[in-house]
Amino acid sequence: MATQFDFCKAGKNVLQIEIDALTQLNNYINDDFTKACQLMLECKRKVVVMGMGKSGHIGNKIAATLASTGTPSFFVHPGEASHGDLGMIEKGDVVIAISNSGEAGEILALLPVIKRLGITLITMTGNPDSSMAKVADVNLQITVPQEACPLGLAPTSSTTATLAMGDAFAVALLQAKGFTADDFALSHPGGALGRKLLLLLSDIMHKDDELPMVTEGALIKTALLEVSEKGLGMTAIVDSEQKVIGIFTDGDLRRLLDNRVDIHTQTIGEVMTPSPAVANPNLLAVEGLNLMQDKKINGLLLCDENNRLVGALNMHDLLKAGVM
């Protein structure tokens, strides 16, 4: 019977080799790294990333990371660049050319044009003496002790190191620019973070005919009908100018029934909770959620600067909007 192959041992060996490669990468976070970051930071146009094969796949990801963290960037395929796409690169751009060997023919063919246009060139190579590294304004070394592939052929450790180096300068640039979570959300409006950081309470609040409200002179039974019809588990108590003076919730109803209050004769003003927590509708939805959690409430009234009721929402609305 054939001996069963030890997949776990092989997998752990790959990870250890790549860990060693990343550990060595620390040596290349040096003056060249600082110079490369400074060139990208001072770039007034775009950072253009290019690479062939597996380096191209990594380059695509690096360009995407830069673009989403405040550095305008895109990927250009070197082969396509030789047939017209080089026109996408302009004077004032910074080009990052990736090749582990530093001898990728498709990239080398483009370098005379890039240099003639006076475009800043940053290379990422595993060979600091390569043709690409020698003509670059700065070379970021990404040498690894060995590939994790036992044949030494498939790019493994080298692509991991390249990706990590790309993350290193992308995050360094993010910090240098003072890029914030709000800035990040602007480039991710479709994601969960975008919803949390860009959505306002006014975007999800109930308003106009959907607003639950009664005056303080209304009977409790009238207020209960308002709570039931509007479906928010509460109603606002307002004065003649629609200014909020109180709130009545499902929780208040349970306490009221325990006290055997006559809902047909007493007014809502006698049993309401006065001066409830309110928020401005222009508040970010995530801030409204934080307020509700801090106050331990399930519903929130929204008022303008004159304390007039303009909207209301509950936890279900925040959940439906993807804020929670």
Side-chain angles (χ1 to χ4, degrees), residues 220-246:
I220 295 173
K221 69 174 185 178
T222 303
L224 294 181
L225 286 173
E226 186 74 356
V227 172
S228 177
E229 289 177 2
K230 300 302 170 63
L232 293 181
M234 64 178 176
T235 183
I237 320 302
V238 299
D239 64 15
S240 59
E241 295 181 346
Q242 205 168 313
K243 292 183 179 181
V244 174
I245 58 176

Side-chain angles (χ1 to χ4, degrees), residues 50-120:
M50 56 175 59
M52 284 297 299
K54 302 299 184 295
S55 293
H57 296 310
I58 298 300
N60 251 308
K61 195 277 179 182
I62 291 174
T65 299
L66 286 168
S68 69
T69 53
T71 301
S73 178
F74 62 87
F75 178 82
V76 171
H77 191 284
E80 298 295 336
S82 292
H83 296 277
D85 281 5
L86 194 59
M88 300 166 70
I89 306 173
E90 304 173 274
K91 188 175 179 64
D93 291 341
V94 170
V95 168
I96 299 177
I98 307 171
S99 168
N100 187 44
S101 68
E103 301 294 344
E106 295 85 351
I107 293 178
L108 289 174
L110 302 174
L111 297 187
V113 179
I114 290 173
K115 299 303 288 186
R116 190 176 70 204
L117 292 173
I119 294 170
T120 299

Side-chain angles (χ1 to χ4, degrees), residues 130-151:
S130 63
S131 301
M132 283 174 52
K134 287 179 178 177
V135 299
D137 292 282
V138 59
N139 178 63
L140 293 176
Q141 191 172 343
I142 48 172
T143 308
V144 296
Q146 65 180 108
E147 296 286 8
C149 167
L151 302 177

Side-chain angles (χ1 to χ4, degrees), residues 309-320:
L309 184 68
V310 294
L313 53 83
N314 60 22
M315 283 292 188
H316 294 295
D317 297 312
L318 295 170
L319 181 63
K320 191 186 301 183

Side-chain angles (χ1 to χ4, degrees), residues 274-319:
S275 303
V278 298
N280 189 287
N282 293 322
L283 198 68
L284 289 170
V286 69
E287 293 177 314
L289 172 62
N290 292 337
L291 174 63
M292 292 168 73
Q293 290 176 331
D294 289 342
K295 299 289 186 181
K296 294 181 171 58
I297 55 177
N298 292 317
L300 186 62
L301 302 177
L302 307 177
C303 300
D304 63 17
E305 59 277 2
N306 296 314
N307 203 41
R308 290 191 180 91
L309 184 68
V310 294
L313 53 83
N314 60 22
M315 283 292 188
H316 294 295
D317 297 312
L318 295 170
L319 181 63

Side-chain angles (χ1 to χ4, degrees), residues 13-14 17 146-157:
N13 185 54
V14 169
I17 292 172
Q146 65 180 108
E147 296 286 8
C149 167
L151 302 177
L153 299 175
T156 43
S157 300

